[in-house]
Amino acid sequence: MRSQVVYHAVDSHTEGMPTRVITGGVGVLPGATMFERRQRFVAERDGLRELLMREPRGHSAMSGAILQPPTRDDADYGVLYIEVSGCLPMCGHGTIGVATVLVETGMVPVVEPETVIRLDAPAGLVTARVAVKDGHAESVTLENVSSYCHALDEVVDVPGYGQVRYDIAYGGNFYAIVHLEDLGIDFQRRNGQRMLDAGLAIMDAINAQNPVRHPENPDINVCHHVYLEAPGSTAQHSRHAMAIHPGWFDRSPCGTGTSARMAQLHARGLLGVDEPFVNESFIGSRFIGRIAGETTVGDRPGIRPTVTGRAWVTGTAQYMLDPSDPFPRGFTI
Ligand code: PYC
């Protein structure tokens, strides 16, 4: 057995969505903040993300997180979020997976009934409150970055779909929120490809015609996800399919998407502080969201979201790269 490198991983899933937590082998990434580390990683070491996320070590909906020493004194770990489509500023299901792994491997001092872990994420400091019983991480409540509604009642011209109405909100990433019934597609598994095609076309049209920009960080400026809201959804319980580039659905209810959706519902006057919000994924798994309070994001009114979900460790692994491997960056089909 030969290898140029060895990456240590603890694999997990959060309500169905994988998080491959890279616990060793990468070294300390250069950069004064996690956002800067993310930018340099994308420019200089993106092949590592591709190796760990794409086939044959990963798959077309793979997601993960690389643990780092924090860049700030008030955090326990730094986290770089990686997935098949790139490096996100923030990832909710990934944070729930990371916190579960940190507790269950003993990589943080474990306190029952609650272990508090502060994570230095590219989008800002987030806190994971892990409910622990007999050493087991029962659930994680993520106190996410401040979120806000960017715009309501926008319209975009989407080739093949005409004029499409959408709202757009930020919860660590930007999310366009679209009524699936406006697209004439039934919320059925068998329509998955039609939903993906529509979601990605809408995303491309928004990024081309009506680009977004975070009021405090101009480098967060892309709509990366489309929340296709199922008919019958309410401000208390919303079902959706989340379309993501290059063409996959989030299997979890999406933590940053849950935060963005709560910001949108709050801006519409439909969800108040401390009211529970159930967000349900395409596979039927659930997160419970709550607005912990109001705040501002730059000069925009915003919310402080929390998201509660569960994760499970699925295995441990060492990922290697033989010098003769013809796919040192993996591949996609
Ligand atoms: O949970 O925030 C999330 C997320 C983003 C992309 C996939 N999951």
Side-chain angles (χ1 to χ4, degrees):
M1 193 162 65
R2 301 180 298 180
S3 186
Q4 297 169 334
V5 289
V6 180
Y7 298 109
H8 299 268
V10 182
D11 286 345
S12 64
H13 79 85
T14 301
E15 306 289 357
M17 182 68 199
T19 309
R20 173 163 294 160
V21 183
I22 306 300
T23 54
V26 175
V28 180
L29 299 170
T33 63
M34 279 311 295
F35 198 83
E36 208 178 296
R37 285 182 179 172
R38 170 180 173 263
Q39 283 176 308
R40 289 196 56 181
F41 182 88
V42 170
E44 297 161 16
R45 290 190 69 182
D46 205 38
L48 172 56
R49 173 188 66 79
E50 293 174 323
L51 174 78
L52 292 168
M53 296 289 101
R54 296 175 3 156
E55 292 186 52
R57 292 166 191 77
H59 52 75
S60 58
M62 192 63 193
S63 179
I66 298 176
L67 293 184
Q68 287 286 292
T71 63
R72 44 194 293 169
D73 292 340
D74 53 357
D76 302 300
Y77 279 93
V79 189
L80 183 77
Y81 300 102
I82 52 177
E83 56 174 46
V84 274
S85 57
C87 283
L88 297 179
M90 177 57 200
C91 179
H93 90 268
T95 306
I96 292 171
V98 163
T100 299
V101 165
L102 289 174
V103 164
E104 297 209 349
T105 56
M107 289 178 71
V108 289
V110 177
V111 179
E112 299 196 14
E114 184 180 77
T115 300
V116 180
I117 308 170
R118 292 185 174 79
L119 295 169
D120 182 7
L125 186 76
V126 298
T127 300
R129 295 186 176 276
V130 189
V132 188
K133 190 168 170 225
D134 301 330
H136 181 254
E138 305 268 288
S139 67
V140 179
T141 295
L142 161 67
E143 295 174 359
N144 195 12
V145 293
S146 296
S147 305
Y148 78 102
C149 182
H150 190 75
L152 297 173
D153 300 317
E154 296 285 300
V155 176
V156 66
D157 189 24
V158 186
Y161 299 88
Q163 305 268 301
V164 176
R165 279 188 304 142
Y166 69 100
D167 294 342
I168 189 156
Y170 174 83
N173 302 290
F174 279 106
Y175 288 82
I177 301 161
V178 174
H179 290 288
L180 195 52
E181 57 202 344
D182 289 354
L183 303 173
I185 304 174
D186 284 343
F187 188 67
Q188 304 274 353
R189 285 267 186 103
R190 65 169 183 273
N191 291 335
Q193 194 56 50
R194 289 179 65 201
M195 288 187 216
L196 269 183
D197 292 345
L200 299 186
I202 293 166
M203 193 186 309
D204 290 347
I206 291 171
N207 284 323
Q209 294 167 36
N210 201 1
V212 286
R213 176 183 282 227
H214 189 278
E216 291 172 333
N217 185 343
D219 289 323
I220 301 179
N221 51 18
V222 64
C223 172
H224 211 274
H225 306 78
V226 175
Y227 185 112
L228 298 167
E229 178 190 332
S233 292
T234 68
Q236 288 74 44
H237 183 172
S238 182
R239 295 189 307 145
H240 70 282
M242 186 69 78
I244 309 179
H245 261 299
W248 54 285
F249 293 113
D250 195 341
R251 276 66 173 153
S252 85
C254 195
T256 52
T258 302
S259 303
R261 175 82 163 128
M262 289 194 292
Q264 176 233 13
L265 292 169
H266 187 65
R268 285 199 173 277
L270 298 172
L271 185 70
V273 171
D274 222 24
E275 290 172 6
F277 167 66
V278 179
N279 200 21
E280 190 172 317
S281 74
F282 197 32
I283 65 164
S285 56
R286 294 177 176 192
F287 283 160
I288 310 292
R290 234 172 245 280
I291 298 173
E294 293 172 340
T295 185
T296 51
V297 179
D299 57 356
R300 312 291 296 266
I303 61 161
R304 290 187 294 108
T306 71
V307 178
T308 302
R310 301 164 303 166
W312 294 266
V313 172
T314 54
T316 59
Q318 284 78 43
Y319 291 100
M320 301 182 184
L321 178 62
D322 187 289
S324 67
D325 188 330
F327 304 113
R329 301 177 77 132
F331 60 85
T332 52
I333 291 184

